[in-house]
Amino acid sequence: MAAIPDLATRVCNHTFKLDPIVRSLLDTDFYKILMLQMIWGMHRDRQVTFSVISRSKTVRLSDEIEEAELRAQLDYARTLRFSKREMIWLAGNSFYGRAQIFSPDFLEFLRTFQLPEYELKRVDGQYEIRFHGPWTHTTMWEVPALAIINELRARSAMRKFGRFALDVLYARAKTRVWDKLERLKQLPDLKLSDFGTRRRHGFLWQRWCVEALKEGLGDNFIGTSNVLLAMDNDLEAIGTNAHELPMVYAALTESDEELRASPYQVLQDWSRYYNANLLIVLPDAFGTASFLRHAPDWVAKWTGFRPDSAPPIPAGERIIEWWASKGVDPREKLLIFSDGMDVDSIEETYRHFDGRTRLSFGWGTNLTNDFHGLSTSGTSGLNAISIVCKVTDVDGRPAVKLSDNPAKASGDPDEIQRYLRVFGNEGFVDQAVNV
């Protein structure tokens, strides 16, 4: 384990050259590399645009983050390459109990990988950032772009703090995390992983949180989605797939029937690359109710589901009921909850489903960016915001995500209406999106 950093001193001494925000291409979520292997194998000619979208409209990012600093960090990220040590680790490590999960040809592709160019401009107090090019390359901008924006915002907010104010801030933040861990330790069969890379307060803080989880929860902490931190801390890299796969597949369809079938085509293609514990269904890209209603019977044979935008208990109940309707024992299946989870919702969901199915939790922004109310100066720049990087077009066609929460929908309004006509809106619940 690396030495625990003096966070206040490091923040006081922040310079671009000393502390680039993204310092490795492995400083990303594991699902991006897993998906990339499938994208590279099957869809390397697709041209896909990703766009940064801030859902926290009242936060004027261009007033809080200097454009020159943002460009410098994005430009630095483009200079990164996978190191020899990282390539050896990816090739030789076992993931989810499987050795050599990445093919030699794919690893050779990674050896010279570089993040592509970006487009950035200021519009009405926000930054419009777009990444356009081969899907094999633009997909890898999602996590570093979001991490850069969030950490630059935190650094900007802390510039006014003195050395002792920073020391107290981090002492309070550490105490808050440890108090949460003390509560989670009371859940004996808890399985929890860190999902906090994209909207973290900063890389060093995420590293502190991961190391605290490792010590505080022991075997109940099963790993981190951050590949670099997994490598450096001898942890499992955790992750499967994300909404971009069904979004891209749906955008390429030619008819309503093909559109309705596209989420299951994603699963079939995914199973050509992965099996066992990597067979996790993400059902909500176009609504969980519609997904379950039209799902082929073979989907019930998959290891589990990750409901990601509906309230966790109703979503879990719906999936358990569906398993039972397929003659499957839910106790043999896995539910992974990861949408905006924090201690209260983890405790409530755990106690509700304990003994009825296998459970796992991905703890994200509320782990790695929970600084709300910790500063006596009252600065809002330390409060987490909801910001995402989503597919917006595929080979010139608009891409859409509906979600079980209409507040998370993205895409062209006319296309959203078409998708609603095809998939319906059964089970949709409007909820505020805070992170």
PDB file of all heavy atoms in Angstrom, residues 261-272:
ATOM      1  N   ALA A 261     -35.677  -4.855 -30.239  1.00  0.00           N
ATOM      2  CA  ALA A 261     -34.838  -6.044 -30.020  1.00  0.00           C
ATOM      3  C   ALA A 261     -33.381  -5.701 -29.711  1.00  0.00           C
ATOM      4  O   ALA A 261     -32.619  -6.580 -29.290  1.00  0.00           O
ATOM      5  CB  ALA A 261     -34.897  -6.947 -31.255  1.00  0.00           C
ATOM      6  N   SER A 262     -32.989  -4.451 -29.902  1.00  0.00           N
ATOM      7  CA  SER A 262     -31.565  -4.093 -29.820  1.00  0.00           C
ATOM      8  C   SER A 262     -30.936  -4.354 -28.444  1.00  0.00           C
ATOM      9  O   SER A 262     -29.763  -4.765 -28.391  1.00  0.00           O
ATOM     10  CB  SER A 262     -31.361  -2.632 -30.238  1.00  0.00           C
ATOM     11  OG  SER A 262     -32.075  -1.740 -29.400  1.00  0.00           O
ATOM     12  N   PRO A 263     -31.623  -4.149 -27.317  1.00  0.00           N
ATOM     13  CA  PRO A 263     -30.965  -4.436 -26.033  1.00  0.00           C
ATOM     14  C   PRO A 263     -30.548  -5.893 -25.882  1.00  0.00           C
ATOM     15  O   PRO A 263     -29.538  -6.190 -25.225  1.00  0.00           O
ATOM     16  CB  PRO A 263     -32.016  -4.049 -24.992  1.00  0.00           C
ATOM     17  CG  PRO A 263     -32.915  -3.075 -25.684  1.00  0.00           C
ATOM     18  CD  PRO A 263     -32.961  -3.553 -27.109  1.00  0.00           C
ATOM     19  N   TYR A 264     -31.289  -6.812 -26.486  1.00  0.00           N
ATOM     20  CA  TYR A 264     -30.967  -8.239 -26.364  1.00  0.00           C
ATOM     21  C   TYR A 264     -29.838  -8.629 -27.318  1.00  0.00           C
ATOM     22  O   TYR A 264     -29.076  -9.550 -27.028  1.00  0.00           O
ATOM     23  CB  TYR A 264     -32.231  -9.068 -26.602  1.00  0.00           C
ATOM     24  CG  TYR A 264     -33.418  -8.479 -25.872  1.00  0.00           C
ATOM     25  CD1 TYR A 264     -34.498  -7.925 -26.574  1.00  0.00           C
ATOM     26  CD2 TYR A 264     -33.436  -8.408 -24.482  1.00  0.00           C
ATOM     27  CE1 TYR A 264     -35.559  -7.333 -25.910  1.00  0.00           C
ATOM     28  CE2 TYR A 264     -34.500  -7.814 -23.805  1.00  0.00           C
ATOM     29  CZ  TYR A 264     -35.553  -7.279 -24.523  1.00  0.00           C
ATOM     30  OH  TYR A 264     -36.596  -6.682 -23.860  1.00  0.00           O
ATOM     31  N   GLN A 265     -29.715  -7.902 -28.436  1.00  0.00           N
ATOM     32  CA  GLN A 265     -28.579  -8.126 -29.320  1.00  0.00           C
ATOM     33  C   GLN A 265     -27.278  -7.746 -28.621  1.00  0.00           C
ATOM     34  O   GLN A 265     -26.249  -8.411 -28.780  1.00  0.00           O
ATOM     35  CB  GLN A 265     -28.732  -7.323 -30.610  1.00  0.00           C
ATOM     36  CG  GLN A 265     -27.645  -7.591 -31.646  1.00  0.00           C
ATOM     37  CD  GLN A 265     -27.623  -9.040 -32.097  1.00  0.00           C
ATOM     38  OE1 GLN A 265     -28.648  -9.562 -32.526  1.00  0.00           O
ATOM     39  NE2 GLN A 265     -26.465  -9.695 -32.002  1.00  0.00           N
ATOM     40  N   VAL A 266     -27.331  -6.672 -27.821  1.00  0.00           N
ATOM     41  CA  VAL A 266     -26.171  -6.293 -27.021  1.00  0.00           C
ATOM     42  C   VAL A 266     -25.733  -7.446 -26.129  1.00  0.00           C
ATOM     43  O   VAL A 266     -24.543  -7.786 -26.055  1.00  0.00           O
ATOM     44  CB  VAL A 266     -26.487  -5.052 -26.157  1.00  0.00           C
ATOM     45  CG1 VAL A 266     -25.372  -4.808 -25.141  1.00  0.00           C
ATOM     46  CG2 VAL A 266     -26.693  -3.820 -27.021  1.00  0.00           C
ATOM     47  N   LEU A 267     -26.693  -8.063 -25.441  1.00  0.00           N
ATOM     48  CA  LEU A 267     -26.365  -9.147 -24.516  1.00  0.00           C
ATOM     49  C   LEU A 267     -25.783 -10.350 -25.260  1.00  0.00           C
ATOM     50  O   LEU A 267     -24.843 -10.991 -24.775  1.00  0.00           O
ATOM     51  CB  LEU A 267     -27.602  -9.564 -23.727  1.00  0.00           C
ATOM     52  CG  LEU A 267     -28.281  -8.468 -22.891  1.00  0.00           C
ATOM     53  CD1 LEU A 267     -29.422  -9.065 -22.068  1.00  0.00           C
ATOM     54  CD2 LEU A 267     -27.289  -7.752 -21.993  1.00  0.00           C
ATOM     55  N   GLN A 268     -26.340 -10.658 -26.421  1.00  0.00           N
ATOM     56  CA  GLN A 268     -25.810 -11.787 -27.187  1.00  0.00           C
ATOM     57  C   GLN A 268     -24.366 -11.535 -27.609  1.00  0.00           C
ATOM     58  O   GLN A 268     -23.516 -12.427 -27.525  1.00  0.00           O
ATOM     59  CB  GLN A 268     -26.693 -12.034 -28.418  1.00  0.00           C
ATOM     60  CG  GLN A 268     -28.053 -12.647 -28.069  1.00  0.00           C
ATOM     61  CD  GLN A 268     -28.897 -12.882 -29.305  1.00  0.00           C
ATOM     62  OE1 GLN A 268     -28.990 -12.031 -30.188  1.00  0.00           O
ATOM     63  NE2 GLN A 268     -29.523 -14.038 -29.378  1.00  0.00           N
ATOM     64  N   ASP A 269     -24.084 -10.313 -28.056  1.00  0.00           N
ATOM     65  CA  ASP A 269     -22.722  -9.992 -28.462  1.00  0.00           C
ATOM     66  C   ASP A 269     -21.775  -9.976 -27.259  1.00  0.00           C
ATOM     67  O   ASP A 269     -20.627 -10.423 -27.356  1.00  0.00           O
ATOM     68  CB  ASP A 269     -22.685  -8.647 -29.191  1.00  0.00           C
ATOM     69  CG  ASP A 269     -23.304  -8.720 -30.576  1.00  0.00           C
ATOM     70  OD1 ASP A 269     -23.589  -9.842 -31.045  1.00  0.00           O
ATOM     71  OD2 ASP A 269     -23.517  -7.653 -31.189  1.00  0.00           O
ATOM     72  N   TRP A 270     -22.251  -9.464 -26.136  1.00  0.00           N
ATOM     73  CA  TRP A 270     -21.435  -9.434 -24.920  1.00  0.00           C
ATOM     74  C   TRP A 270     -21.039 -10.854 -24.507  1.00  0.00           C
ATOM     75  O   TRP A 270     -19.890 -11.088 -24.115  1.00  0.00           O
ATOM     76  CB  TRP A 270     -22.210  -8.749 -23.803  1.00  0.00           C
ATOM     77  CG  TRP A 270     -21.471  -8.607 -22.508  1.00  0.00           C
ATOM     78  CD1 TRP A 270     -21.586  -9.391 -21.389  1.00  0.00           C
ATOM     79  CD2 TRP A 270     -20.504  -7.598 -22.180  1.00  0.00           C
ATOM     80  NE1 TRP A 270     -20.756  -8.937 -20.402  1.00  0.00           N
ATOM     81  CE2 TRP A 270     -20.082  -7.848 -20.857  1.00  0.00           C
ATOM     82  CE3 TRP A 270     -19.955  -6.519 -22.875  1.00  0.00           C
ATOM     83  CZ2 TRP A 270     -19.128  -7.039 -20.208  1.00  0.00           C
ATOM     84  CZ3 TRP A 270     -19.015  -5.720 -22.234  1.00  0.00           C
ATOM     85  CH2 TRP A 270     -18.615  -5.991 -20.917  1.00  0.00           C
ATOM     86  N   SER A 271     -21.969 -11.785 -24.615  1.00  0.00           N
ATOM     87  CA  SER A 271     -21.694 -13.163 -24.191  1.00  0.00           C
ATOM     88  C   SER A 271     -20.685 -13.862 -25.107  1.00  0.00           C
ATOM     89  O   SER A 271     -20.145 -14.907 -24.748  1.00  0.00           O
ATOM     90  CB  SER A 271     -22.993 -13.969 -24.118  1.00  0.00           C
ATOM     91  OG  SER A 271     -23.563 -14.148 -25.395  1.00  0.00           O
ATOM     92  N   ARG A 272     -20.428 -13.304 -26.280  1.00  0.00           N
ATOM     93  CA  ARG A 272     -19.382 -13.856 -27.153  1.00  0.00           C
ATOM     94  C   ARG A 272     -18.001 -13.578 -26.583  1.00  0.00           C
ATOM     95  O   ARG A 272     -17.028 -14.260 -26.933  1.00  0.00           O
ATOM     96  CB  ARG A 272     -19.497 -13.251 -28.549  1.00  0.00           C
ATOM     97  CG  ARG A 272     -20.757 -13.676 -29.309  1.00  0.00           C
ATOM     98  CD  ARG A 272     -20.948 -12.883 -30.577  1.00  0.00           C
ATOM     99  NE  ARG A 272     -19.814 -12.979 -31.499  1.00  0.00           N
ATOM    100  CZ  ARG A 272     -19.772 -12.360 -32.680  1.00  0.00           C
ATOM    101  NH1 ARG A 272     -20.797 -11.618 -33.064  1.00  0.00           N
ATOM    102  NH2 ARG A 272     -18.724 -12.499 -33.461  1.00  0.00           N
TER     103      ARG A 272
END
